[in-house]
Amino acid sequence: MKRTIILAATLALAGTPALAQSAPQAQTTPEAQTKAPEQRTEIKAVSIVDVSDLPADSQTQISQIEADRSEDQLEALQSSIEGSPALVDALEKQGATPSDVVAASLSQTGTLTIVTRKET
């Protein structure tokens, strides 16, 4: 699950302007030119859920992800979300902000699930 959330968050947010501007440029070697480009899953729907609304098992998994993740990784995720007005708007409609985001997951069908932990 940890790998899925981190990988999905990276894929989901790779299309946002903030991340696209900071992404390193790939080297263009003859070998790299012959490889097919990576396919990215398009975000078709966004779901916002607070960790307190998840089942106990999922809450435990999110807590473990939070414990294993570095502060830099969390800041990168939150910054990527801040760079997407549509995601910020979706969060605000749920009473959350990018700083409340603790995890994200993109399904193969294009549903981006953003998990928040609102400060009380």
Side-chain angles (χ1 to χ4, degrees):
M1 173 111 178
K2 174 184 171 188
R3 180 173 171 245
T4 301
I5 289 177
I6 292 172
L7 177 60
T10 301
L11 290 174
L13 301 172
T16 62
L19 188 58
Q21 292 174 1
S22 65
Q25 297 297 321
Q27 292 181 349
T28 54
T29 63
E31 184 178 303
Q33 291 174 358
T34 60
K35 292 183 181 178
E38 289 184 36
Q39 292 183 348
R40 298 182 191 259
T41 302
E42 180 182 343
I43 298 173
K44 296 178 182 173
V46 177
S47 175
I48 312 290
V49 62
D50 192 77
V51 72
S52 64
D53 295 332
L54 294 171
D57 289 347
S58 296
Q59 287 183 26
T60 301
Q61 289 176 340
I62 294 295
S63 293
Q64 186 62 48
I65 289 166
E66 289 177 290
D68 292 343
R69 176 187 52 225
S70 73
E71 189 64 30
D72 288 343
Q73 290 171 322
L74 177 60
E75 288 174 8
L77 173 63
Q78 293 171 342
S79 293
S80 294
I81 290 172
E82 286 174 355
S84 172
L87 296 178
V88 171
D89 185 52
L91 284 165
E92 288 175 351
K93 287 179 181 176
Q94 297 296 320
T97 66
S99 64
D100 295 325
V101 174
V102 296
S105 176
L106 181 62
S107 73
Q108 292 180 349
T109 60
T111 299
L112 175 63
T113 302
I114 298 175
V115 180
T116 61
R117 185 181 302 275
K118 297 177 191 164
E119 297 295 323
T120 55

